[in-house]
Amino acid sequence: SYDLECEGSPERDMRDPVASVKLASDIVHNNGMKFMIAPSRALTSLYAAEFAKYVDIYSIQAQSLQSQPNEYKKYVEKIVMEITSTNPEISITAQVSTVRGSLQSMKNSISSVEGVIDGVTSWYSGNQKALDKLERFVKWFVDRYK
């Protein structure tokens, strides 16, 4: 997964994010693999449809909104429409995080977009509290969607 973000990504990648995604896509596809991206929310808001042209799996970083499930839902639905207008075959995940909000906010956010996305990605920290929350979320998810 290519995690393109203003902070942490090389300056050359940020000069032309769409060209960076295309180059990464070409490299990945030329090696017989599928290409997933998880760009920052800021980059997704600007370039989602353009990025989608080169991507097999798009992870929408919406975790900053998970404490506001209605806003999470609105944002994810808007981005899904933009992405699928360019690439209707793409798989889309929405991201939640163990370090933002409660376990219930993770559940509420994913439940609000369950008919719109293909899966979930989770950002978590390695401390025991966050790992316990992730374990409870995964158990809930498996029980709900098996």
PDB file of all heavy atoms in Angstrom, residues 109-122:
ATOM      1  N   SER A 109     -19.134   4.206  12.689  1.00  0.00           N
ATOM      2  CA  SER A 109     -18.634   4.723  11.416  1.00  0.00           C
ATOM      3  C   SER A 109     -18.697   3.666  10.323  1.00  0.00           C
ATOM      4  O   SER A 109     -19.203   3.915   9.226  1.00  0.00           O
ATOM      5  CB  SER A 109     -17.203   5.238  11.588  1.00  0.00           C
ATOM      6  OG  SER A 109     -17.192   6.363  12.420  1.00  0.00           O
ATOM      7  N   ILE A 110     -18.196   2.476  10.621  1.00  0.00           N
ATOM      8  CA  ILE A 110     -18.205   1.416   9.612  1.00  0.00           C
ATOM      9  C   ILE A 110     -19.641   0.984   9.294  1.00  0.00           C
ATOM     10  O   ILE A 110     -19.991   0.782   8.132  1.00  0.00           O
ATOM     11  CB  ILE A 110     -17.324   0.234  10.056  1.00  0.00           C
ATOM     12  CG1 ILE A 110     -15.858   0.669  10.118  1.00  0.00           C
ATOM     13  CG2 ILE A 110     -17.509  -0.976   9.144  1.00  0.00           C
ATOM     14  CD1 ILE A 110     -15.311   1.304   8.837  1.00  0.00           C
ATOM     15  N   SER A 111     -20.471   0.878  10.298  1.00  0.00           N
ATOM     16  CA  SER A 111     -21.873   0.509  10.062  1.00  0.00           C
ATOM     17  C   SER A 111     -22.556   1.514   9.140  1.00  0.00           C
ATOM     18  O   SER A 111     -23.390   1.137   8.316  1.00  0.00           O
ATOM     19  CB  SER A 111     -22.645   0.434  11.381  1.00  0.00           C
ATOM     20  OG  SER A 111     -22.150  -0.598  12.185  1.00  0.00           O
ATOM     21  N   SER A 112     -22.193   2.771   9.257  1.00  0.00           N
ATOM     22  CA  SER A 112     -22.856   3.813   8.462  1.00  0.00           C
ATOM     23  C   SER A 112     -22.530   3.728   6.980  1.00  0.00           C
ATOM     24  O   SER A 112     -23.262   4.278   6.154  1.00  0.00           O
ATOM     25  CB  SER A 112     -22.483   5.197   8.995  1.00  0.00           C
ATOM     26  OG  SER A 112     -21.174   5.580   8.628  1.00  0.00           O
ATOM     27  N   VAL A 113     -21.434   3.046   6.626  1.00  0.00           N
ATOM     28  CA  VAL A 113     -21.038   2.964   5.212  1.00  0.00           C
ATOM     29  C   VAL A 113     -20.974   1.527   4.704  1.00  0.00           C
ATOM     30  O   VAL A 113     -20.413   1.256   3.644  1.00  0.00           O
ATOM     31  CB  VAL A 113     -19.689   3.683   4.965  1.00  0.00           C
ATOM     32  CG1 VAL A 113     -19.834   5.178   5.200  1.00  0.00           C
ATOM     33  CG2 VAL A 113     -18.563   3.108   5.814  1.00  0.00           C
ATOM     34  N   GLU A 114     -21.591   0.614   5.437  1.00  0.00           N
ATOM     35  CA  GLU A 114     -21.436  -0.806   5.102  1.00  0.00           C
ATOM     36  C   GLU A 114     -21.928  -1.173   3.710  1.00  0.00           C
ATOM     37  O   GLU A 114     -21.426  -2.095   3.114  1.00  0.00           O
ATOM     38  CB  GLU A 114     -22.070  -1.692   6.164  1.00  0.00           C
ATOM     39  CG  GLU A 114     -23.564  -1.607   6.244  1.00  0.00           C
ATOM     40  CD  GLU A 114     -24.126  -2.414   7.392  1.00  0.00           C
ATOM     41  OE1 GLU A 114     -23.417  -2.729   8.355  1.00  0.00           O
ATOM     42  OE2 GLU A 114     -25.323  -2.732   7.317  1.00  0.00           O
ATOM     43  N   GLY A 115     -22.880  -0.481   3.163  1.00  0.00           N
ATOM     44  CA  GLY A 115     -23.345  -0.795   1.818  1.00  0.00           C
ATOM     45  C   GLY A 115     -22.572  -0.086   0.725  1.00  0.00           C
ATOM     46  O   GLY A 115     -22.826  -0.294  -0.458  1.00  0.00           O
ATOM     47  N   VAL A 116     -21.607   0.734   1.121  1.00  0.00           N
ATOM     48  CA  VAL A 116     -20.898   1.590   0.176  1.00  0.00           C
ATOM     49  C   VAL A 116     -19.462   1.130  -0.074  1.00  0.00           C
ATOM     50  O   VAL A 116     -18.909   1.354  -1.135  1.00  0.00           O
ATOM     51  CB  VAL A 116     -20.891   3.045   0.711  1.00  0.00           C
ATOM     52  CG1 VAL A 116     -20.138   3.979  -0.188  1.00  0.00           C
ATOM     53  CG2 VAL A 116     -22.311   3.539   0.924  1.00  0.00           C
ATOM     54  N   ILE A 117     -18.863   0.494   0.943  1.00  0.00           N
ATOM     55  CA  ILE A 117     -17.454   0.092   0.854  1.00  0.00           C
ATOM     56  C   ILE A 117     -17.333  -1.427   0.757  1.00  0.00           C
ATOM     57  O   ILE A 117     -18.280  -2.152   1.022  1.00  0.00           O
ATOM     58  CB  ILE A 117     -16.658   0.606   2.074  1.00  0.00           C
ATOM     59  CG1 ILE A 117     -17.242   0.060   3.386  1.00  0.00           C
ATOM     60  CG2 ILE A 117     -16.595   2.128   2.065  1.00  0.00           C
ATOM     61  CD1 ILE A 117     -16.412   0.345   4.619  1.00  0.00           C
ATOM     62  N   ASP A 118     -16.141  -1.873   0.380  1.00  0.00           N
ATOM     63  CA  ASP A 118     -15.872  -3.306   0.242  1.00  0.00           C
ATOM     64  C   ASP A 118     -15.168  -3.895   1.448  1.00  0.00           C
ATOM     65  O   ASP A 118     -15.087  -5.117   1.580  1.00  0.00           O
ATOM     66  CB  ASP A 118     -15.004  -3.547  -1.008  1.00  0.00           C
ATOM     67  CG  ASP A 118     -15.689  -3.035  -2.252  1.00  0.00           C
ATOM     68  OD1 ASP A 118     -16.814  -3.470  -2.535  1.00  0.00           O
ATOM     69  OD2 ASP A 118     -15.094  -2.161  -2.929  1.00  0.00           O
ATOM     70  N   GLY A 119     -14.626  -3.050   2.303  1.00  0.00           N
ATOM     71  CA  GLY A 119     -13.891  -3.547   3.454  1.00  0.00           C
ATOM     72  C   GLY A 119     -13.436  -2.429   4.354  1.00  0.00           C
ATOM     73  O   GLY A 119     -13.780  -1.266   4.144  1.00  0.00           O
ATOM     74  N   VAL A 120     -12.635  -2.797   5.343  1.00  0.00           N
ATOM     75  CA  VAL A 120     -12.169  -1.864   6.362  1.00  0.00           C
ATOM     76  C   VAL A 120     -10.664  -1.990   6.497  1.00  0.00           C
ATOM     77  O   VAL A 120     -10.112  -3.090   6.406  1.00  0.00           O
ATOM     78  CB  VAL A 120     -12.816  -2.206   7.728  1.00  0.00           C
ATOM     79  CG1 VAL A 120     -12.277  -1.313   8.831  1.00  0.00           C
ATOM     80  CG2 VAL A 120     -14.317  -2.117   7.651  1.00  0.00           C
ATOM     81  N   THR A 121     -10.019  -0.867   6.711  1.00  0.00           N
ATOM     82  CA  THR A 121      -8.630  -0.868   7.140  1.00  0.00           C
ATOM     83  C   THR A 121      -8.588  -0.163   8.494  1.00  0.00           C
ATOM     84  O   THR A 121      -9.434   0.681   8.782  1.00  0.00           O
ATOM     85  CB  THR A 121      -7.693  -0.155   6.136  1.00  0.00           C
ATOM     86  OG1 THR A 121      -8.232   1.131   5.819  1.00  0.00           O
ATOM     87  CG2 THR A 121      -7.541  -0.962   4.866  1.00  0.00           C
ATOM     88  N   SER A 122      -7.633  -0.542   9.309  1.00  0.00           N
ATOM     89  CA  SER A 122      -7.552   0.047  10.642  1.00  0.00           C
ATOM     90  C   SER A 122      -6.143   0.514  10.925  1.00  0.00           C
ATOM     91  O   SER A 122      -5.176  -0.200  10.674  1.00  0.00           O
ATOM     92  CB  SER A 122      -7.974  -0.978  11.693  1.00  0.00           C
ATOM     93  OG  SER A 122      -7.903  -0.422  12.985  1.00  0.00           O
TER      94      SER A 122
END
